[in-house]
Structures are given as structure tokens and as C-alpha cells.
Amino acid sequence: MAIEKRKERNESGMDIYTPFKEMQRMIDRLFEEFPYEWPTLSKSIDEVIAPMDIFETDKGYEIEAEVPGMSKDDIEVNVSDRVLTIKGEKTDERKEEKKGARILERSYGTFERSFTLPDDADPEKIEAKYENGVLKLVIPKRPESKSKKVKIEIK
């Protein structure tokens, strides 16, 4: 049995390792560009995150946004050209004085999230409710968009 040297090129003359070399370069570039610092718990302006859950029901859509520490006056909800925008600004200031020590802490931040509404959503009838740090939006579907079941006669 003869030992045959491994071919470095395929039938077209291309180096068989080229796709793998390119993939390695892409992975290296991904890690080079990856952020060196992970977000911390202390958020500065424009870094407040409002986690949101979106649900579809038979009657419409629901969005629940977690915005703890804000009041309903700190939050603004708008719809323009079928784009729903939720934005808010958090300002928190705490002062404490104990046994001659004075502590003053401030945190500020804003957030903005936008969603394109589905074609069957009715932006004119959106309802918003804020309670216990959760903003809940109910976006009804248009009545004409609800699917009808039609029986088709087979001939």
C-alpha cells in the first residue's frame, strides 16, 4: 500500500483550506470588535434599558414594558406612520444624612424603543396603562382584518 500525499488544491486549482481560513478571519474580527466592557448596573444617560414583552391575541396585540422607578409622567407613547414609539426619562435622586455623614446619589437615563405596527393593528384605539413599574399597551386589531371562515364548495 502506497502512502499518498494529501492534495492541497481541488480540481479547479483552488486551495482547499481557503473557506476555513476566511471563516477564521471572520471569527477573529468578531472577537476584536466585541465590546471590552460589559454593561454595568450603573447606567448613564441613554443607557436605560426597558425590557419589553409582545404578545398577539385574537383581539389584538399587547406590549408590556418594564420601567421601574418611573412615573407615568416620565413616559411618552406616540404613533406616527404606523411606527409606535415608547420613550422615557428616569431621574432618581436620593439624599441621606446619618450621624454627620451626608450621602447624595443621582442617576439619570433615557430610553426609546420603536416598533412598526402590523397592518391589521388599529393605532387609533391603543390603550395604555401604567401600574407598579409596568407599562401595558393594548393595541386592538381592526374588525375587518379578522379572518372569516368561508366554506368553499367543491364541484
Side-chain angles (χ1 to χ4, degrees), residues 19-40:
F20 300 105
K21 290 176 185 177
E22 180 61 26
M23 186 169 62
Q24 182 64 49
R25 279 193 294 272
M26 291 172 68
I27 291 170
D28 290 343
R29 193 171 71 226
L30 170 72
F31 284 103
E32 288 169 4
E33 295 173 358
F34 202 74
Y36 291 105
E37 295 180 29
W38 287 93
T40 61

mmCIF file with all atom_site columns, all heavy atoms in Angstrom, residues 19-40:
data_model
loop_
_atom_site.group_PDB
_atom_site.id
_atom_site.type_symbol
_atom_site.label_atom_id
_atom_site.label_alt_id
_atom_site.label_comp_id
_atom_site.label_asym_id
_atom_site.label_entity_id
_atom_site.label_seq_id
_atom_site.pdbx_PDB_ins_code
_atom_site.Cartn_x
_atom_site.Cartn_y
_atom_site.Cartn_z
_atom_site.occupancy
_atom_site.B_iso_or_equiv
_atom_site.pdbx_formal_charge
_atom_site.auth_seq_id
_atom_site.auth_comp_id
_atom_site.auth_asym_id
_atom_site.auth_atom_id
_atom_site.pdbx_PDB_model_num
ATOM 1   N N   . PRO A 1 19 ? -11.837 28.409 2.323  1.00 0.00 ? 19 PRO A N   1
ATOM 2   C CA  . PRO A 1 19 ? -13.063 28.752 3.062  1.00 0.00 ? 19 PRO A CA  1
ATOM 3   C C   . PRO A 1 19 ? -12.846 28.762 4.577  1.00 0.00 ? 19 PRO A C   1
ATOM 4   O O   . PRO A 1 19 ? -13.381 29.600 5.287  1.00 0.00 ? 19 PRO A O   1
ATOM 5   C CB  . PRO A 1 19 ? -14.061 27.666 2.659  1.00 0.00 ? 19 PRO A CB  1
ATOM 6   C CG  . PRO A 1 19 ? -13.535 27.076 1.410  1.00 0.00 ? 19 PRO A CG  1
ATOM 7   C CD  . PRO A 1 19 ? -12.059 27.252 1.453  1.00 0.00 ? 19 PRO A CD  1
ATOM 8   N N   . PHE A 1 20 ? -12.009 27.828 5.071  1.00 0.00 ? 20 PHE A N   1
ATOM 9   C CA  . PHE A 1 20 ? -11.762 27.765 6.510  1.00 0.00 ? 20 PHE A CA  1
ATOM 10  C C   . PHE A 1 20 ? -10.891 28.919 6.989  1.00 0.00 ? 20 PHE A C   1
ATOM 11  O O   . PHE A 1 20 ? -11.073 29.431 8.086  1.00 0.00 ? 20 PHE A O   1
ATOM 12  C CB  . PHE A 1 20 ? -11.134 26.419 6.877  1.00 0.00 ? 20 PHE A CB  1
ATOM 13  C CG  . PHE A 1 20 ? -12.018 25.260 6.519  1.00 0.00 ? 20 PHE A CG  1
ATOM 14  C CD1 . PHE A 1 20 ? -11.728 24.468 5.426  1.00 0.00 ? 20 PHE A CD1 1
ATOM 15  C CD2 . PHE A 1 20 ? -13.162 24.982 7.257  1.00 0.00 ? 20 PHE A CD2 1
ATOM 16  C CE1 . PHE A 1 20 ? -12.551 23.410 5.085  1.00 0.00 ? 20 PHE A CE1 1
ATOM 17  C CE2 . PHE A 1 20 ? -13.991 23.927 6.925  1.00 0.00 ? 20 PHE A CE2 1
ATOM 18  C CZ  . PHE A 1 20 ? -13.690 23.144 5.831  1.00 0.00 ? 20 PHE A CZ  1
ATOM 19  N N   . LYS A 1 21 ? -9.955  29.327 6.164  1.00 0.00 ? 21 LYS A N   1
ATOM 20  C CA  . LYS A 1 21 ? -9.116  30.483 6.517  1.00 0.00 ? 21 LYS A CA  1
ATOM 21  C C   . LYS A 1 21 ? -9.967  31.743 6.593  1.00 0.00 ? 21 LYS A C   1
ATOM 22  O O   . LYS A 1 21 ? -9.799  32.565 7.494  1.00 0.00 ? 21 LYS A O   1
ATOM 23  C CB  . LYS A 1 21 ? -8.000  30.671 5.482  1.00 0.00 ? 21 LYS A CB  1
ATOM 24  C CG  . LYS A 1 21 ? -6.933  29.595 5.537  1.00 0.00 ? 21 LYS A CG  1
ATOM 25  C CD  . LYS A 1 21 ? -5.919  29.802 4.426  1.00 0.00 ? 21 LYS A CD  1
ATOM 26  C CE  . LYS A 1 21 ? -4.906  28.681 4.380  1.00 0.00 ? 21 LYS A CE  1
ATOM 27  N NZ  . LYS A 1 21 ? -3.972  28.840 3.251  1.00 0.00 ? 21 LYS A NZ  1
ATOM 28  N N   . GLU A 1 22 ? -10.893 31.888 5.646  1.00 0.00 ? 22 GLU A N   1
ATOM 29  C CA  . GLU A 1 22 ? -11.776 33.061 5.654  1.00 0.00 ? 22 GLU A CA  1
ATOM 30  C C   . GLU A 1 22 ? -12.687 33.049 6.879  1.00 0.00 ? 22 GLU A C   1
ATOM 31  O O   . GLU A 1 22 ? -12.912 34.068 7.517  1.00 0.00 ? 22 GLU A O   1
ATOM 32  C CB  . GLU A 1 22 ? -12.616 33.100 4.370  1.00 0.00 ? 22 GLU A CB  1
ATOM 33  C CG  . GLU A 1 22 ? -13.565 34.267 4.285  1.00 0.00 ? 22 GLU A CG  1
ATOM 34  C CD  . GLU A 1 22 ? -12.864 35.626 4.307  1.00 0.00 ? 22 GLU A CD  1
ATOM 35  O OE1 . GLU A 1 22 ? -11.698 35.723 3.912  1.00 0.00 ? 22 GLU A OE1 1
ATOM 36  O OE2 . GLU A 1 22 ? -13.515 36.596 4.757  1.00 0.00 ? 22 GLU A OE2 1
ATOM 37  N N   . MET A 1 23 ? -13.204 31.872 7.229  1.00 0.00 ? 23 MET A N   1
ATOM 38  C CA  . MET A 1 23 ? -14.051 31.767 8.407  1.00 0.00 ? 23 MET A CA  1
ATOM 39  C C   . MET A 1 23 ? -13.248 32.123 9.669  1.00 0.00 ? 23 MET A C   1
ATOM 40  O O   . MET A 1 23 ? -13.743 32.820 10.553 1.00 0.00 ? 23 MET A O   1
ATOM 41  C CB  . MET A 1 23 ? -14.622 30.351 8.533  1.00 0.00 ? 23 MET A CB  1
ATOM 42  C CG  . MET A 1 23 ? -15.624 30.215 9.666  1.00 0.00 ? 23 MET A CG  1
ATOM 43  S SD  . MET A 1 23 ? -16.544 28.674 9.662  1.00 0.00 ? 23 MET A SD  1
ATOM 44  C CE  . MET A 1 23 ? -15.269 27.471 9.864  1.00 0.00 ? 23 MET A CE  1
ATOM 45  N N   . GLN A 1 24 ? -12.002 31.685 9.757  1.00 0.00 ? 24 GLN A N   1
ATOM 46  C CA  . GLN A 1 24 ? -11.167 32.014 10.909 1.00 0.00 ? 24 GLN A CA  1
ATOM 47  C C   . GLN A 1 24 ? -10.925 33.517 10.993 1.00 0.00 ? 24 GLN A C   1
ATOM 48  O O   . GLN A 1 24 ? -10.974 34.104 12.067 1.00 0.00 ? 24 GLN A O   1
ATOM 49  C CB  . GLN A 1 24 ? -9.831  31.266 10.830 1.00 0.00 ? 24 GLN A CB  1
ATOM 50  C CG  . GLN A 1 24 ? -8.933  31.528 12.024 1.00 0.00 ? 24 GLN A CG  1
ATOM 51  C CD  . GLN A 1 24 ? -9.526  31.017 13.323 1.00 0.00 ? 24 GLN A CD  1
ATOM 52  O OE1 . GLN A 1 24 ? -9.974  29.877 13.389 1.00 0.00 ? 24 GLN A OE1 1
ATOM 53  N NE2 . GLN A 1 24 ? -9.541  31.840 14.359 1.00 0.00 ? 24 GLN A NE2 1
ATOM 54  N N   . ARG A 1 25 ? -10.704 34.177 9.852  1.00 0.00 ? 25 ARG A N   1
ATOM 55  C CA  . ARG A 1 25 ? -10.520 35.641 9.844  1.00 0.00 ? 25 ARG A CA  1
ATOM 56  C C   . ARG A 1 25 ? -11.786 36.343 10.342 1.00 0.00 ? 25 ARG A C   1
ATOM 57  O O   . ARG A 1 25 ? -11.716 37.312 11.088 1.00 0.00 ? 25 ARG A O   1
ATOM 58  C CB  . ARG A 1 25 ? -10.159 36.131 8.442  1.00 0.00 ? 25 ARG A CB  1
ATOM 59  C CG  . ARG A 1 25 ? -8.687  35.962 8.103  1.00 0.00 ? 25 ARG A CG  1
ATOM 60  C CD  . ARG A 1 25 ? -8.310  36.747 6.855  1.00 0.00 ? 25 ARG A CD  1
ATOM 61  N NE  . ARG A 1 25 ? -8.935  36.256 5.643  1.00 0.00 ? 25 ARG A NE  1
ATOM 62  C CZ  . ARG A 1 25 ? -8.438  35.295 4.861  1.00 0.00 ? 25 ARG A CZ  1
ATOM 63  N NH1 . ARG A 1 25 ? -7.307  34.722 5.162  1.00 0.00 ? 25 ARG A NH1 1
ATOM 64  N NH2 . ARG A 1 25 ? -9.084  34.918 3.784  1.00 0.00 ? 25 ARG A NH2 1
ATOM 65  N N   . MET A 1 26 ? -12.960 35.844 9.936  1.00 0.00 ? 26 MET A N   1
ATOM 66  C CA  . MET A 1 26 ? -14.220 36.458 10.375 1.00 0.00 ? 26 MET A CA  1
ATOM 67  C C   . MET A 1 26 ? -14.418 36.288 11.880 1.00 0.00 ? 26 MET A C   1
ATOM 68  O O   . MET A 1 26 ? -14.841 37.222 12.563 1.00 0.00 ? 26 MET A O   1
ATOM 69  C CB  . MET A 1 26 ? -15.398 35.842 9.602  1.00 0.00 ? 26 MET A CB  1
ATOM 70  C CG  . MET A 1 26 ? -15.404 36.218 8.135  1.00 0.00 ? 26 MET A CG  1
ATOM 71  S SD  . MET A 1 26 ? -16.652 35.311 7.192  1.00 0.00 ? 26 MET A SD  1
ATOM 72  C CE  . MET A 1 26 ? -18.138 35.989 7.856  1.00 0.00 ? 26 MET A CE  1
ATOM 73  N N   . ILE A 1 27 ? -14.106 35.124 12.419 1.00 0.00 ? 27 ILE A N   1
ATOM 74  C CA  . ILE A 1 27 ? -14.243 34.888 13.856 1.00 0.00 ? 27 ILE A CA  1
ATOM 75  C C   . ILE A 1 27 ? -13.264 35.763 14.624 1.00 0.00 ? 27 ILE A C   1
ATOM 76  O O   . ILE A 1 27 ? -13.614 36.370 15.644 1.00 0.00 ? 27 ILE A O   1
ATOM 77  C CB  . ILE A 1 27 ? -14.047 33.393 14.185 1.00 0.00 ? 27 ILE A CB  1
ATOM 78  C CG1 . ILE A 1 27 ? -15.228 32.583 13.626 1.00 0.00 ? 27 ILE A CG1 1
ATOM 79  C CG2 . ILE A 1 27 ? -13.897 33.177 15.688 1.00 0.00 ? 27 ILE A CG2 1
ATOM 80  C CD1 . ILE A 1 27 ? -15.045 31.087 13.678 1.00 0.00 ? 27 ILE A CD1 1
ATOM 81  N N   . ASP A 1 28 ? -12.028 35.869 14.146 1.00 0.00 ? 28 ASP A N   1
ATOM 82  C CA  . ASP A 1 28 ? -11.043 36.742 14.793 1.00 0.00 ? 28 ASP A CA  1
ATOM 83  C C   . ASP A 1 28 ? -11.524 38.186 14.810 1.00 0.00 ? 28 ASP A C   1
ATOM 84  O O   . ASP A 1 28 ? -11.412 38.879 15.820 1.00 0.00 ? 28 ASP A O   1
ATOM 85  C CB  . ASP A 1 28 ? -9.691  36.659 14.085 1.00 0.00 ? 28 ASP A CB  1
ATOM 86  C CG  . ASP A 1 28 ? -9.005  35.316 14.289 1.00 0.00 ? 28 ASP A CG  1
ATOM 87  O OD1 . ASP A 1 28 ? -9.397  34.575 15.225 1.00 0.00 ? 28 ASP A OD1 1
ATOM 88  O OD2 . ASP A 1 28 ? -8.074  35.008 13.508 1.00 0.00 ? 28 ASP A OD2 1
ATOM 89  N N   . ARG A 1 29 ? -12.074 38.651 13.691 1.00 0.00 ? 29 ARG A N   1
ATOM 90  C CA  . ARG A 1 29 ? -12.564 40.024 13.602 1.00 0.00 ? 29 ARG A CA  1
ATOM 91  C C   . ARG A 1 29 ? -13.739 40.250 14.558 1.00 0.00 ? 29 ARG A C   1
ATOM 92  O O   . ARG A 1 29 ? -13.844 41.289 15.202 1.00 0.00 ? 29 ARG A O   1
ATOM 93  C CB  . ARG A 1 29 ? -12.980 40.350 12.165 1.00 0.00 ? 29 ARG A CB  1
ATOM 94  C CG  . ARG A 1 29 ? -13.188 41.835 11.954 1.00 0.00 ? 29 ARG A CG  1
ATOM 95  C CD  . ARG A 1 29 ? -13.387 42.200 10.507 1.00 0.00 ? 29 ARG A CD  1
ATOM 96  N NE  . ARG A 1 29 ? -14.685 41.720 10.059 1.00 0.00 ? 29 ARG A NE  1
ATOM 97  C CZ  . ARG A 1 29 ? -14.902 41.065 8.926  1.00 0.00 ? 29 ARG A CZ  1
ATOM 98  N NH1 . ARG A 1 29 ? -13.922 40.839 8.096  1.00 0.00 ? 29 ARG A NH1 1
ATOM 99  N NH2 . ARG A 1 29 ? -16.106 40.663 8.593  1.00 0.00 ? 29 ARG A NH2 1
ATOM 100 N N   . LEU A 1 30 ? -14.617 39.236 14.710 1.00 0.00 ? 30 LEU A N   1
ATOM 101 C CA  . LEU A 1 30 ? -15.743 39.341 15.635 1.00 0.00 ? 30 LEU A CA  1
ATOM 102 C C   . LEU A 1 30 ? -15.248 39.601 17.054 1.00 0.00 ? 30 LEU A C   1
ATOM 103 O O   . LEU A 1 30 ? -15.728 40.490 17.740 1.00 0.00 ? 30 LEU A O   1
ATOM 104 C CB  . LEU A 1 30 ? -16.585 38.063 15.589 1.00 0.00 ? 30 LEU A CB  1
ATOM 105 C CG  . LEU A 1 30 ? -17.663 37.940 16.668 1.00 0.00 ? 30 LEU A CG  1
ATOM 106 C CD1 . LEU A 1 30 ? -18.800 38.912 16.379 1.00 0.00 ? 30 LEU A CD1 1
ATOM 107 C CD2 . LEU A 1 30 ? -18.175 36.525 16.746 1.00 0.00 ? 30 LEU A CD2 1
ATOM 108 N N   . PHE A 1 31 ? -14.250 38.824 17.489 1.00 0.00 ? 31 PHE A N   1
ATOM 109 C CA  . PHE A 1 31 ? -13.750 38.995 18.850 1.00 0.00 ? 31 PHE A CA  1
ATOM 110 C C   . PHE A 1 31 ? -12.932 40.270 19.007 1.00 0.00 ? 31 PHE A C   1
ATOM 111 O O   . PHE A 1 31 ? -12.892 40.845 20.093 1.00 0.00 ? 31 PHE A O   1
ATOM 112 C CB  . PHE A 1 31 ? -12.954 37.765 19.288 1.00 0.00 ? 31 PHE A CB  1
ATOM 113 C CG  . PHE A 1 31 ? -13.851 36.614 19.641 1.00 0.00 ? 31 PHE A CG  1
ATOM 114 C CD1 . PHE A 1 31 ? -14.013 35.552 18.763 1.00 0.00 ? 31 PHE A CD1 1
ATOM 115 C CD2 . PHE A 1 31 ? -14.565 36.611 20.827 1.00 0.00 ? 31 PHE A CD2 1
ATOM 116 C CE1 . PHE A 1 31 ? -14.851 34.503 19.076 1.00 0.00 ? 31 PHE A CE1 1
ATOM 117 C CE2 . PHE A 1 31 ? -15.417 35.568 21.143 1.00 0.00 ? 31 PHE A CE2 1
ATOM 118 C CZ  . PHE A 1 31 ? -15.563 34.503 20.270 1.00 0.00 ? 31 PHE A CZ  1
ATOM 119 N N   . GLU A 1 32 ? -12.288 40.736 17.958 1.00 0.00 ? 32 GLU A N   1
ATOM 120 C CA  . GLU A 1 32 ? -11.558 42.001 18.038 1.00 0.00 ? 32 GLU A CA  1
ATOM 121 C C   . GLU A 1 32 ? -12.517 43.175 18.202 1.00 0.00 ? 32 GLU A C   1
ATOM 122 O O   . GLU A 1 32 ? -12.217 44.141 18.888 1.00 0.00 ? 32 GLU A O   1
ATOM 123 C CB  . GLU A 1 32 ? -10.718 42.211 16.782 1.00 0.00 ? 32 GLU A CB  1
ATOM 124 C CG  . GLU A 1 32 ? -9.511  41.305 16.709 1.00 0.00 ? 32 GLU A CG  1
ATOM 125 C CD  . GLU A 1 32 ? -8.843  41.340 15.333 1.00 0.00 ? 32 GLU A CD  1
ATOM 126 O OE1 . GLU A 1 32 ? -9.278  42.130 14.468 1.00 0.00 ? 32 GLU A OE1 1
ATOM 127 O OE2 . GLU A 1 32 ? -7.904  40.559 15.136 1.00 0.00 ? 32 GLU A OE2 1
ATOM 128 N N   . GLU A 1 33 ? -13.681 43.093 17.564 1.00 0.00 ? 33 GLU A N   1
ATOM 129 C CA  . GLU A 1 33 ? -14.638 44.191 17.610 1.00 0.00 ? 33 GLU A CA  1
ATOM 130 C C   . GLU A 1 33 ? -15.619 44.064 18.773 1.00 0.00 ? 33 GLU A C   1
ATOM 131 O O   . GLU A 1 33 ? -16.392 44.972 19.034 1.00 0.00 ? 33 GLU A O   1
ATOM 132 C CB  . GLU A 1 33 ? -15.422 44.250 16.292 1.00 0.00 ? 33 GLU A CB  1
ATOM 133 C CG  . GLU A 1 33 ? -14.542 44.594 15.116 1.00 0.00 ? 33 GLU A CG  1
ATOM 134 C CD  . GLU A 1 33 ? -15.261 44.495 13.787 1.00 0.00 ? 33 GLU A CD  1
ATOM 135 O OE1 . GLU A 1 33 ? -16.450 44.123 13.758 1.00 0.00 ? 33 GLU A OE1 1
ATOM 136 O OE2 . GLU A 1 33 ? -14.625 44.773 12.758 1.00 0.00 ? 33 GLU A OE2 1
ATOM 137 N N   . PHE A 1 34 ? -15.596 42.960 19.492 1.00 0.00 ? 34 PHE A N   1
ATOM 138 C CA  . PHE A 1 34 ? -16.523 42.735 20.599 1.00 0.00 ? 34 PHE A CA  1
ATOM 139 C C   . PHE A 1 34 ? -16.231 43.740 21.708 1.00 0.00 ? 34 PHE A C   1
ATOM 140 O O   . PHE A 1 34 ? -15.079 44.072 21.964 1.00 0.00 ? 34 PHE A O   1
ATOM 141 C CB  . PHE A 1 34 ? -16.358 41.305 21.109 1.00 0.00 ? 34 PHE A CB  1
ATOM 142 C CG  . PHE A 1 34 ? -17.558 40.795 21.840 1.00 0.00 ? 34 PHE A CG  1
ATOM 143 C CD1 . PHE A 1 34 ? -18.696 40.445 21.142 1.00 0.00 ? 34 PHE A CD1 1
ATOM 144 C CD2 . PHE A 1 34 ? -17.553 40.669 23.212 1.00 0.00 ? 34 PHE A CD2 1
ATOM 145 C CE1 . PHE A 1 34 ? -19.806 39.963 21.790 1.00 0.00 ? 34 PHE A CE1 1
ATOM 146 C CE2 . PHE A 1 34 ? -18.663 40.188 23.873 1.00 0.00 ? 34 PHE A CE2 1
ATOM 147 C CZ  . PHE A 1 34 ? -19.792 39.835 23.159 1.00 0.00 ? 34 PHE A CZ  1
ATOM 148 N N   . PRO A 1 35 ? -17.278 44.243 22.389 1.00 0.00 ? 35 PRO A N   1
ATOM 149 C CA  . PRO A 1 35 ? -17.033 45.250 23.436 1.00 0.00 ? 35 PRO A CA  1
ATOM 150 C C   . PRO A 1 35 ? -16.158 44.693 24.551 1.00 0.00 ? 35 PRO A C   1
ATOM 151 O O   . PRO A 1 35 ? -16.337 43.563 24.987 1.00 0.00 ? 35 PRO A O   1
ATOM 152 C CB  . PRO A 1 35 ? -18.426 45.604 23.951 1.00 0.00 ? 35 PRO A CB  1
ATOM 153 C CG  . PRO A 1 35 ? -19.355 44.632 23.350 1.00 0.00 ? 35 PRO A CG  1
ATOM 154 C CD  . PRO A 1 35 ? -18.677 43.926 22.238 1.00 0.00 ? 35 PRO A CD  1
ATOM 155 N N   . TYR A 1 36 ? -15.220 45.506 24.992 1.00 0.00 ? 36 TYR A N   1
ATOM 156 C CA  . TYR A 1 36 ? -14.319 45.096 26.056 1.00 0.00 ? 36 TYR A CA  1
ATOM 157 C C   . TYR A 1 36 ? -14.984 45.193 27.418 1.00 0.00 ? 36 TYR A C   1
ATOM 158 O O   . TYR A 1 36 ? -14.595 44.519 28.344 1.00 0.00 ? 36 TYR A O   1
ATOM 159 C CB  . TYR A 1 36 ? -13.053 45.956 26.031 1.00 0.00 ? 36 TYR A CB  1
ATOM 160 C CG  . TYR A 1 36 ? -12.204 45.678 24.832 1.00 0.00 ? 36 TYR A CG  1
ATOM 161 C CD1 . TYR A 1 36 ? -12.168 46.582 23.776 1.00 0.00 ? 36 TYR A CD1 1
ATOM 162 C CD2 . TYR A 1 36 ? -11.472 44.502 24.723 1.00 0.00 ? 36 TYR A CD2 1
ATOM 163 C CE1 . TYR A 1 36 ? -11.408 46.322 22.653 1.00 0.00 ? 36 TYR A CE1 1
ATOM 164 C CE2 . TYR A 1 36 ? -10.716 44.243 23.607 1.00 0.00 ? 36 TYR A CE2 1
ATOM 165 C CZ  . TYR A 1 36 ? -10.677 45.145 22.571 1.00 0.00 ? 36 TYR A CZ  1
ATOM 166 O OH  . TYR A 1 36 ? -9.925  44.881 21.458 1.00 0.00 ? 36 TYR A OH  1
ATOM 167 N N   . GLU A 1 37 ? -15.977 46.054 27.557 1.00 0.00 ? 37 GLU A N   1
ATOM 168 C CA  . GLU A 1 37 ? -16.652 46.230 28.830 1.00 0.00 ? 37 GLU A CA  1
ATOM 169 C C   . GLU A 1 37 ? -18.107 45.817 28.689 1.00 0.00 ? 37 GLU A C   1
ATOM 170 O O   . GLU A 1 37 ? -18.797 46.273 27.807 1.00 0.00 ? 37 GLU A O   1
ATOM 171 C CB  . GLU A 1 37 ? -16.602 47.693 29.263 1.00 0.00 ? 37 GLU A CB  1
ATOM 172 C CG  . GLU A 1 37 ? -15.214 48.185 29.556 1.00 0.00 ? 37 GLU A CG  1
ATOM 173 C CD  . GLU A 1 37 ? -15.221 49.631 29.986 1.00 0.00 ? 37 GLU A CD  1
ATOM 174 O OE1 . GLU A 1 37 ? -16.224 50.079 30.561 1.00 0.00 ? 37 GLU A OE1 1
ATOM 175 O OE2 . GLU A 1 37 ? -14.236 50.310 29.728 1.00 0.00 ? 37 GLU A OE2 1
ATOM 176 N N   . TRP A 1 38 ? -18.553 44.972 29.578 1.00 0.00 ? 38 TRP A N   1
ATOM 177 C CA  . TRP A 1 38 ? -19.963 44.603 29.598 1.00 0.00 ? 38 TRP A CA  1
ATOM 178 C C   . TRP A 1 38 ? -20.738 45.698 30.297 1.00 0.00 ? 38 TRP A C   1
ATOM 179 O O   . TRP A 1 38 ? -20.206 46.377 31.171 1.00 0.00 ? 38 TRP A O   1
ATOM 180 C CB  . TRP A 1 38 ? -20.138 43.283 30.337 1.00 0.00 ? 38 TRP A CB  1
ATOM 181 C CG  . TRP A 1 38 ? -19.653 42.137 29.528 1.00 0.00 ? 38 TRP A CG  1
ATOM 182 C CD1 . TRP A 1 38 ? -18.415 41.585 29.558 1.00 0.00 ? 38 TRP A CD1 1
ATOM 183 C CD2 . TRP A 1 38 ? -20.373 41.436 28.532 1.00 0.00 ? 38 TRP A CD2 1
ATOM 184 N NE1 . TRP A 1 38 ? -18.322 40.581 28.656 1.00 0.00 ? 38 TRP A NE1 1
ATOM 185 C CE2 . TRP A 1 38 ? -19.506 40.466 28.009 1.00 0.00 ? 38 TRP A CE2 1
ATOM 186 C CE3 . TRP A 1 38 ? -21.673 41.530 28.033 1.00 0.00 ? 38 TRP A CE3 1
ATOM 187 C CZ2 . TRP A 1 38 ? -19.916 39.587 27.013 1.00 0.00 ? 38 TRP A CZ2 1
ATOM 188 C CZ3 . TRP A 1 38 ? -22.061 40.651 27.046 1.00 0.00 ? 38 TRP A CZ3 1
ATOM 189 C CH2 . TRP A 1 38 ? -21.184 39.691 26.549 1.00 0.00 ? 38 TRP A CH2 1
ATOM 190 N N   . PRO A 1 39 ? -22.003 45.901 29.935 1.00 0.00 ? 39 PRO A N   1
ATOM 191 C CA  . PRO A 1 39 ? -22.794 46.923 30.622 1.00 0.00 ? 39 PRO A CA  1
ATOM 192 C C   . PRO A 1 39 ? -22.850 46.636 32.120 1.00 0.00 ? 39 PRO A C   1
ATOM 193 O O   . PRO A 1 39 ? -22.931 45.501 32.539 1.00 0.00 ? 39 PRO A O   1
ATOM 194 C CB  . PRO A 1 39 ? -24.192 46.792 30.000 1.00 0.00 ? 39 PRO A CB  1
ATOM 195 C CG  . PRO A 1 39 ? -23.985 46.062 28.727 1.00 0.00 ? 39 PRO A CG  1
ATOM 196 C CD  . PRO A 1 39 ? -22.748 45.215 28.892 1.00 0.00 ? 39 PRO A CD  1
ATOM 197 N N   . THR A 1 40 ? -22.797 47.684 32.901 1.00 0.00 ? 40 THR A N   1
ATOM 198 C CA  . THR A 1 40 ? -22.832 47.534 34.349 1.00 0.00 ? 40 THR A CA  1
ATOM 199 C C   . THR A 1 40 ? -24.200 47.932 34.872 1.00 0.00 ? 40 THR A C   1
ATOM 200 O O   . THR A 1 40 ? -25.042 48.427 34.133 1.00 0.00 ? 40 THR A O   1
ATOM 201 C CB  . THR A 1 40 ? -21.760 48.424 35.010 1.00 0.00 ? 40 THR A CB  1
ATOM 202 O OG1 . THR A 1 40 ? -22.050 49.781 34.671 1.00 0.00 ? 40 THR A OG1 1
ATOM 203 C CG2 . THR A 1 40 ? -20.370 48.052 34.539 1.00 0.00 ? 40 THR A CG2 1
#
